[in-house]
Structures are given as C-alpha cells and as structure tokens.
Amino acid sequence: MKLHEYQSKRIFSQYGIPIPKGEVAATPQEAEAIAEKLGSRVVIKSQVLVGGRGKAGGIKLAKDPQEAEKLASQILGMQIKGLPVRKVLVDEAADIHSEIYLGITNDRAAHKPVMMASSAGGVEIEEVARQTPEKIIKTHIDPFLGLRDYQARDIALGIGLPAEHWQTFTKIAQGLWKAYENSDATLAEINPLVVTGDNQLLAVDGKMLIDDNSLFRHADLEAMRDLDEEAESETKAREHGLSFIKLDGNIGCMVNGAGLAMATMDILKLFGGAPANFLDIGGGASAEKVAVALRLILTDTNVKAVLFNIFGGITRCDEVARGILTALAEVKPKVPMVIRLVGTNAEEGRKLLADAKMITADTLAEAAQKAVAAAKGGQK
Ligand code: GDP
Ligand code: MN
C-alpha cells in the first residue's frame, strides 16, 4: 500500500524527523486559509500516488494566500500520470540550499534492509543509479541491531555532508529506520532531504510503501488507504480476498494458486499473448468468488478472451466447475473462454462444463495457444 506524501511525512515527524509546517486542502479556499495561517510563502503540492509531480507541474510556490488559492485551483483540476488530483498539501515553503536523497528498502539479495543516500537529491534515485551510480552510498542494516551511529556517520561522510550536520543527520537516519521498521514498510524515502538557507535539515518530500501482508497489525495505517487512488477492480478484489493485479494485455486469467497464475502468464507470453491481469482465486474458490473474479476480469474492456487454468487439489474440480457455471449464468460473458481443468475430480468437473460452450484443453500449452488464438479472433 502506498501512502501519500503528507501521510508519510506525518509518520516521519513522529520519529523526530523535521518536516515543514503544513496542512492538507481539498478546495482552493481551504488552501488559501492554510496559507493565511502559515503566514509565509507556501508550496502547493498535489497529493497523488505517483512520483515526479514536480516535473508534471503538480508542485508550485506561492508568495501569498491569494496566489495559493489560484495555484491550488489549477493543481486541483489536474491529472498527473492519469490520476486526478483531489487534495493538495500546503506547506511552508523551504528555502532550499541543497538536496539530498535518503531512503530505506529491502535488499532481497542481501536478505537485509539497505539504507541509500546520495548528494544528488531531488532527482529520482533510479535515474541517479543509471547515470552516476558512484554517487549512491549504501549501508545494510542488521534488523537486530538497527542503524548504528557509525553507519549514519559513514553515510554522511560518503555524501559529503558538512560535519556540523552529522548529529542531526544521524537522528534523521535513525528516525527513518524506526519508521520503516515499526510500520512494516518496504520503502521509506525522503527525496529531497534539504539543507535550508539557514543551515537546517528538513524533509521536504516523503514516500512510504507498506507491506500489505502486515496491515492486519496496523489498523492505523490501513485507515490511511486512499480508495480514490486505487483501481476500482483492485479494491473489489481485496474485499473478496482475491489477489488481483490489472495488467495491459487482452487475455483475462482466472487461476487458482499464485505460482500457477505466474506460470499461466509466462506461457501466454511464450505463445505470443499478453495477460490482462494476474489473478489468484485461492483455494476453496466458491461460486460467489468465481463470479466476482469473472466480473472483475470482464469489466476490463481490453479483454478479448478468458483463460481458466484450474488445478484441483484440496479444492475439487467439480466444485470449481459449479462455481464457473453459476458465474457464467450471472455474468453472461460475450468473449470466448478457454478452460483447462486437471486434478481431483477433473472428470466430474468437465462433465458439468460440457454444455457451457467453453473451449477445452488438456495441457497448459494447448490452453495457452487456444486462448491466444481466441483473443486474436481466430479459431476455436
Ligand atoms: P516529486 O516531484 O513528486 O518528487 O515532489 P517533491 O516534493 O520532491 O518536489 C519536487 C521538487 O520541487 C523538489 O526536489 C524541490 O526542488 C522543489 N520543491 C519542493 N518543495 C519546495 C519548497 O518548499 N521550496 C522550494 N524552493 N522548492 C521546493
Ligand atoms: Mn520527491
């Protein structure tokens, strides 16, 4: 789950990281009132769950409350990378002397979190990694020890931060680690962390990604989820306990089991097709769940064919077949559907589906080829 900038910065602030004063507004009038209250130059920042808002024109400086109102009304009407801006953060403007990147993420290869920093802040870190990788300083964090003082100092030295800032920088780096650890984050990032004109460190931007699998123990973070920003299909899927990720292809995939779903997507690609989604309907898929899943797949107008790849293990094929029949009766899809059904009670399952006008296949390769052909409007 992605958090907005204002949410991430509020969390950072709870861990002692200095952030600008500011509040969130949903209307230009609110933005004006906040600017009035702050009584300084402000920065109006679109709150959308994508990076690069600055470049897209979603971040603007205002010298007084009237200008804040005007700019807020412009930004609130914008779409940034396809996402409508519904809220803006009105922050006291920072007088920026220099910009630093500071972030923590998981290094899967090292089996440890890694802190990264760079003097080339403000720019996306992927860009820095491509162009000037030597400018990124990294240190792995032992989760049992946390981020040690000497590690923070090493980073400060590595990015050429003047020694007068090391103590504050250490506090910020350790605060970021604590925020990351306690929130079960997979990313905590300050970009930029700035040195201001009056020589203070300040976290001007903030970004956090929270591990969805940990949300059951973070009711406070779960409550921050912004449903407006999520593809509606993904919200629906979550409500029904389905793992669903929308993709750009035209073959809908209905599969039980995450590994099988991955394999299905791979083999579609192998035969020249493109999956429209990742979907794991899970074990014990009831008729209701199958119907919800089928509806999700079919709301995507790109979908030209659906591939069912069901492996009956603990979940019996006849049960899934009944689910599919119920779902078909309800949803009445107009696109061709290919099914491969194997495993426990596959024979019973196939009999149940015999009248359902589905294209059947015995092997995964055959099913994938038939789905690719069907999506192209070709043979059955
Ligand atoms: P992003 O583009 O989505 O990463 O949004 P950021 O919050 O990082 O803002 C982008 C850039 O706008 C920063 O790197 C700064 O250069 C600039 N910026 C953001 N806030 C301020 C501010 O308060 N004062 C000034 N002068 N520039 C700012
Ligand atoms: Mn940024």
Side-chain angles (χ1 to χ4, degrees):
M1 179 179 81
K2 292 182 188 170
L3 294 185
H4 281 295
E5 173 197 359
Y6 77 92
Q7 297 167 324
S8 306
K9 289 204 296 202
R10 279 180 195 165
I11 293 174
F12 293 167
S13 158
Q14 287 164 11
Y15 290 90
I17 297 173
I19 62 166
K21 270 193 225 146
E23 282 174 53
V24 174
T27 65
Q29 293 71 35
E30 279 171 31
E32 182 179 11
I34 296 166
E36 189 83 59
K37 204 161 84 183
L38 290 171
S40 65
R41 276 158 51 88
V42 293
V43 56
I44 312 287
K45 311 185 76 176
S46 52
Q47 298 298 290
V48 281
L49 297 174
V50 289
R53 297 164 301 161
K55 267 190 213 148
I59 293 181
K60 296 231 162 77
L61 288 161
K63 59 181 182 312
D64 55 39
Q66 286 68 44
E67 194 177 12
E69 198 246 34
K70 194 180 106 217
L71 293 175
S73 86
Q74 285 170 15
I75 294 177
L76 283 166
M78 282 175 69
Q79 292 229 352
I80 297 181
K81 299 181 184 170
L83 295 173
V85 180
R86 294 190 169 89
K87 287 187 224 119
V88 291
L89 174 63
V90 183
D91 261 0
E92 204 166 62
D95 170 18
I96 298 181
H97 175 259
S98 58
E99 306 192 33
I100 297 165
Y101 173 93
L102 184 66
I104 306 177
T105 188
N106 279 334
D107 182 344
R108 283 169 182 263
H111 305 201
K112 276 182 193 160
V114 61
M115 176 169 273
M116 291 175 291
S118 170
S119 57
V123 187
E124 283 187 27
I125 195 68
E126 293 82 358
E127 198 57 36
V128 183
R130 255 194 307 275
Q131 313 231 327
T132 47
E134 70 283 358
K135 283 200 179 157
I136 302 177
I137 307 295
K138 294 183 188 175
T139 189
H140 286 100
I141 302 172
D142 183 324
F144 292 110
L145 299 176
L147 182 78
R148 312 312 296 164
D149 288 5
Y150 77 88
Q151 293 183 295
R153 278 194 304 272
D154 273 355
I155 288 187
L157 181 69
I159 61 171
L161 190 68
E164 61 183 300
H165 294 300
W166 289 6
Q167 209 175 348
T168 319
F169 179 82
T170 301
K171 280 204 189 117
I172 291 173
Q174 288 176 337
L176 191 65
W177 161 248
K178 279 285 158 205
Y180 178 89
E181 184 187 30
N182 291 350
S183 313
D184 285 313
T186 55
L187 177 78
E189 187 180 85
I190 307 174
N191 189 26
L193 172 67
V194 307
V195 181
T196 61
D198 56 358
N199 229 4
Q200 305 290 315
L201 290 178
L202 190 64
V204 160
D205 190 10
K207 181 174 174 184
M208 285 187 97
L209 300 181
I210 309 294
D211 185 343
D212 284 307
N213 294 314
S214 77
L215 286 172
F216 73 95
R217 58 183 184 193
H218 296 294
D220 51 337
L221 296 177
E222 171 77 59
M224 292 182 189
R225 189 190 288 280
D226 186 348
L227 293 178
D228 287 343
E229 290 272 319
E230 214 175 44
E232 199 188 324
S233 52
E234 290 179 16
T235 310
K236 273 250 173 63
R238 196 179 50 257
E239 282 168 8
H240 289 87
L242 302 162
S243 310
F244 179 91
I245 295 160
K246 193 185 146 10
L247 302 169
D248 297 330
N250 62 0
I251 302 175
C253 299
M254 168 102 72
V255 189
N256 64 334
L260 193 61
M262 301 290 277
T264 307
M265 289 160 51
D266 280 353
I267 203 158
L268 279 174
K269 281 265 182 192
L270 182 69
F271 289 114
N277 64 282
F278 168 92
L279 171 62
D280 172 13
I281 54 173
S286 62
E288 191 207 335
K289 237 181 176 182
V290 175
V292 170
L294 191 57
R295 239 181 264 120
L296 277 181
I297 291 175
L298 295 171
T299 49
D300 180 351
T301 48
N302 289 335
V303 170
K304 298 289 177 272
V306 181
L307 172 58
F308 291 72
N309 185 17
I310 304 295
F311 180 78
I314 294 168
T315 313
R316 304 182 330 255
C317 287
D318 55 320
E319 224 171 87
V320 178
R322 271 189 208 96
I324 293 173
L325 287 177
T326 314
L328 293 183
E330 271 181 55
V331 183
K332 300 191 181 62
K334 292 183 183 68
V335 298
M337 286 177 299
V338 180
I339 185 163
R340 171 188 178 240
L341 200 59
V342 289
T344 313
N345 290 5
E347 214 33 61
E348 289 87 329
R350 286 196 201 113
K351 268 184 208 141
L352 281 168
L353 290 173
D355 296 330
K357 286 195 219 134
M358 294 174 92
I359 304 164
T360 58
D362 292 329
T363 68
L364 181 47
E366 186 192 342
Q369 282 166 307
K370 285 183 169 172
V372 172
K376 284 186 184 139
Q379 62 170 94
K380 294 224 163 164

